[in-house]
């Protein structure tokens, strides 16, 4: 399970199709895969890399206590890997998970703070190209917290270099009182 994958830009169309076919389709499948990766981590670094997916998929399936535990561990370990390519992902992941848990617990103010913390991530190779996770932004929009989401979009501009106008489009939609279709940016 802990194999190094070639960058998508170096893969053939056939390899990309095969990768997509093997991708988990349901929240439970994503959770099972994330937990399998976490359990098979053969080093502290591999575990750190697997914690983000474990935290996000745990919150996705409603296992809030488990999600909080993984997110706390990820946050605690993050300073150890501050120079690593995955550091920005870790900041984003634990902040989104803590925000979703805060919102579920009725603390919208804390959720907004976690959203802004996610936006202050230094970014990562994935976030530069594919962008940030919008699950907490969507949840906050649905709860009526538009201003925090607009602030989050502005923060994301510092790292999402290849947004192809998405942030401008989403900003316009939120200003008009709509909840954007975040598409793939909702996938855990």
């Amino acid at each position: 399970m802990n194999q190094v994958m070639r960058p998508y830009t170096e893969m053939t169309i056939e390899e990309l199709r095969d990768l997509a076919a093997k991708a988990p389709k349901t929240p439970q499948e994503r959770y099972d895969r994330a937990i399998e990766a976490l359990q098979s981590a053969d080093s502290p670094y591999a575990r750190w890399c697997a914690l983000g997916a474990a935290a996000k998929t745990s919150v996705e399936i409603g296992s809030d206590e488990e999600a909080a535990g993984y997110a706390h561990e990820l946050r605690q370990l993050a300073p150890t890997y501050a120079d690593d390519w995955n550091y920005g992902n870790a900041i984003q992941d634990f902040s989104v998970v803590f925000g979703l848990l805060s919102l579920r617990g009725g603390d919208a103010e804390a959720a907004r703070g976690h959203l802004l913390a996610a936006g202050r991530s230094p970014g990562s190779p994935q976030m530069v190209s594919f962008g940030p996770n919008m699950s907490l932004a969507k949840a906050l929009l649905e709860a009526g917290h538009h201003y925090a989401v607009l602030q989050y979009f502005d923060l994301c501009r510092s790292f999402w270099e290849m947004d192809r106008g998405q942030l401008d489009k989403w900003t316009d939609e939120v200003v008009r009182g709509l909840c954007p279709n975040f598409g793939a940016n909702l996938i855990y």
Side-chain angles (χ1 to χ4, degrees), residues 40-86:
S40 66
D42 56 4
S43 70
Y45 176 75
R47 180 172 176 81
W48 180 71
C49 287
L51 280 166
K56 291 184 297 183
T57 59
S58 293
V59 81
E60 183 182 22
I61 67 164
S63 186
D64 293 357
E65 190 173 316
E66 186 177 16
Y70 294 142
H72 281 291
E73 185 178 356
L74 183 61
R75 181 175 61 186
Q76 183 178 21
L77 291 172
T80 304
Y81 302 103
D83 293 328
D84 188 76
W85 66 270
N86 193 44

Side-chain angles (χ1 to χ4, degrees), residues 92 95-101 103 108 110-119 131-156 160 167 170-171 174 178-183 185-188:
Q92 175 95 174
S95 297
V96 166
V97 169
F98 286 139
L100 289 167
L101 294 173
L103 196 57
R112 290 189 305 266
H114 290 298
L115 181 69
L116 298 180
N133 184 298
M134 292 290 168
S135 55
L136 178 55
K138 182 178 188 281
L140 282 165
L141 283 173
E142 290 170 347
H145 302 281
H146 299 87
Y147 183 67
V149 174
L150 293 171
Q151 289 177 296
Y152 178 62
F153 291 167
D154 283 340
L155 291 168
C156 292
W160 193 5
L167 289 170
W170 293 341
T171 296
V174 170
L178 304 172
C179 185
N181 175 357
F182 292 114
N185 292 86
L186 293 175
I187 296 174
Y188 289 92

Side-chain angles (χ1 to χ4, degrees), residues 118-137:
R120 290 186 193 97
S121 166
S124 69
Q126 296 86 353
M127 291 166 67
V128 164
S129 55
F130 300 111
N133 184 298
M134 292 290 168
S135 55
L136 178 55

